[in-house]
Amino acid sequence: LPDFEDDLDPQTLRTAIGWSLAYFDRVPAERVFSLGAIEVTAETLKASLVHSLKLLEENRLNADSVAQSFDVYCTGDEKSTDLSLVTGYYEPVLDGRVERQEEFIYPLYGMPPDLLTVELASFDPVRFPRERLVGRVQGNRVVPYFSRAEIDGQRKLEQYGCELAWLKDPVDVFFLQVQGSGVIRLCDGHFVRIGYAGANGRPYRSIGKVLIDRGEMSAEEMSLQSLRTYLRNHPESRDEVMRHNESYVFFRWVENGPVGSLNVPLTAGRSIATDPRYCPGGALAYLQTMKPQIDESGQVRGWEPLRRWVVSQDTGGAIKGPGRVDLFCGTGDQAEGIAGHLRHPGRLCFLVKKGENRNELK
């Protein structure tokens, strides 16, 4: 087992656990969640959180107490090549307007009224227990929803008037969709927060991989910052590159946030996004990886260990597979500096309280 040392303050962990407990308060106790090859109930996950919080308050959330109280499920081990890939995301702060004006001409859309979701479990819960389709009705058929090229290039959503805000840079719109939430600075100096509401159901594709495959930059050079710089320096190919990623995110206004997929606020440094097909939402886990040391110019000057308790409270279009972890790094430029460069192997371990029910997946 890891040593379970923690490099952040206990209060942020209390906050993150508290939000997960609030989530489980509104979830049926019998609801099941996947954890690798087993299923665990909401009741089990909540009991695990309650006990971990008790240990935290007693200053006993350590290796000895964890070994006595919990079963631990990890993605690989320190000698395995099958480790997690840990990346980071953040909440950008961007200038914007709630009405189109002057150079603010690139929209952030709310959920369009013609988008529909088909829960396949309602048709065949055995074959499709957690799968869904997103599309629209065309005649008497359900067809895939509009792609990024159709929405941005052909303005397919203009007829609905579902624009929430306007930015002045299409690259900012693209990366705001990748991050899933953001803060908009209005002309009067006020700040408003925007959060994830849904997506068009199209597959997420990495535009960084496209540029690497084309020889435009190397994998070692790739970061959020270098990718943004490339797009701004190549306006002639910018739209074509961005439209390679057909996934398109829609937003909503939020009061407190940023808000993750569990509809609870995320905690900087503690909340992670995982794939719910393998990792249970709301659950406590322990993360081991390396984090970048960022200098005043935003450059990486070195790497240092990251060892901390985290809580699975979000999902993401690019977060697919049992070994993918996306760490929420916070809001603003400093968080961007860390999140933009964080891409490192790691290890993620989930806790399930001993004696609680769990079932093998069939």
Side-chain angles (χ1 to χ4, degrees):
L1 292 176
D3 57 19
F4 296 115
E5 294 293 325
D6 195 296
D7 60 8
L8 284 184
D9 61 288
Q11 183 53 46
T12 56
L13 181 56
R14 292 188 191 97
T15 299
I17 291 176
W19 284 121
S20 276
L21 289 173
Y23 165 69
F24 285 117
D25 282 343
R26 64 175 192 264
V27 171
E30 66 275 11
R31 179 178 294 179
V32 294
F33 296 78
S34 295
L35 174 52
I38 68 169
E39 285 184 335
V40 292
T41 64
E43 182 179 30
T44 294
L45 294 173
K46 183 176 181 179
S48 302
L49 285 169
V50 169
H51 191 66
S52 65
L53 187 58
K54 178 178 181 292
L55 293 177
L56 177 64
E57 298 301 341
E58 296 171 353
N59 197 29
R60 293 196 302 120
L61 192 56
N62 53 39
D64 289 340
S65 293
V66 168
Q68 293 171 9
S69 301
F70 297 95
D71 291 324
V72 183
Y73 298 84
C74 297
T75 54
D77 57 54
E78 292 181 337
K79 296 181 180 179
S80 170
T81 58
D82 185 26
L83 300 182
S84 299
L85 171 63
V86 183
T87 53
Y89 68 115
Y90 75 107
E91 186 182 43
V93 180
L94 302 166
D95 290 325
R97 302 291 184 267
V98 293
E99 294 182 358
R100 177 171 176 157
Q101 57 182 256
E102 299 173 357
E103 72 267 45
F104 294 89
I105 61 173
Y106 299 99
L108 301 174
Y109 290 109
M111 287 288 285
D114 64 337
L115 184 145
L116 59 85
T117 301
V118 179
E119 299 289 351
L120 295 181
S122 62
F123 294 88
D124 191 333
V126 176
R127 292 177 60 196
F128 311 110
R130 298 178 184 85
E131 295 184 41
R132 61 175 58 180
L133 291 176
V134 176
R136 60 189 177 88
V137 175
Q138 187 177 67
N140 62 351
R141 298 169 54 242
V142 176
V143 298
Y145 203 73
F146 298 121
S147 66
R148 179 176 298 276
E150 291 172 311
I151 294 173
D152 284 343
Q154 302 176 31
R155 304 295 183 188
K156 290 289 189 179
L157 300 187
E158 280 190 347
Q159 59 182 314
Y160 299 123
C162 55
E163 298 89 350
L164 296 183
W166 304 82
L167 305 184
K168 56 184 176 182
D169 187 341
V171 176
D172 284 339
V173 172
F174 181 88
F175 283 106
L176 179 57
Q177 291 185 9
V178 172
Q179 303 305 317
S181 63
V183 176
I184 308 299
R185 184 192 296 111
L186 303 178
C187 58
D188 60 2
H190 283 83
F191 294 87
V192 290
R193 178 168 265 123
I194 204 164
Y196 178 93
N200 65 344
R202 299 274 185 155
Y204 177 93
R205 295 193 177 100
S206 168
I207 64 171
K209 185 177 185 303
V210 172
L211 296 180
I212 292 173
D213 290 345
R214 293 178 180 179
E216 299 289 348
M217 62 177 68
S218 66
E220 293 72 25
E221 296 172 315
M222 182 58 62
S223 68
L224 183 149
Q225 291 81 357
S226 63
L227 191 53
R228 181 189 288 116
T229 298
Y230 177 90
L231 293 174
R232 287 177 172 161
N233 290 343
H234 295 81
E236 74 287 349
S237 60
R238 176 196 67 198
D239 293 345
E240 180 269 329
V241 171
M242 292 193 301
R243 289 170 187 172
H244 179 81
N245 177 20
E246 295 186 8
S247 176
Y248 202 95
V249 168
F250 307 111
F251 295 98
R252 62 187 175 97
W253 298 117
V254 296
E255 291 292 331
N256 299 310
V259 175
S261 62
L262 304 187
N263 202 29
V264 299
L266 302 176
T267 304
R270 296 292 189 183
S271 298
I272 58 172
T274 56
D275 188 337
R277 296 175 300 173
Y278 308 97
C279 303
L284 180 69
Y286 187 76
L287 179 63
Q288 298 172 283
T289 187
M290 301 293 288
K291 62 181 177 180
Q293 298 173 321
I294 308 298
D295 62 23
E296 294 180 355
S297 65
Q299 300 301 309
V300 178
R301 58 181 175 84
W303 293 82
E304 60 184 343
L306 183 152
R307 305 286 187 270
R308 68 183 61 158
W309 295 104
V310 293
V311 188
S312 179
Q313 295 175 325
D314 206 0
T315 59
I319 310 306
K320 300 299 182 185
R324 280 291 283 115
V325 181
D326 211 16
L327 175 67
F328 177 64
C329 297
T331 302
D333 294 342
Q334 185 174 4
E336 177 187 348
I338 297 173
H341 294 284
L342 181 56
R343 186 177 180 85
H344 204 277
R347 187 184 186 205
L348 186 69
C349 298
F350 284 93
L351 302 190
V352 179
K353 190 171 182 293
K354 292 180 183 293
E356 299 292 332
N357 292 329
R358 67 213 69 178
N359 299 308
E360 294 288 334
L361 285 173
K362 296 180 179 180

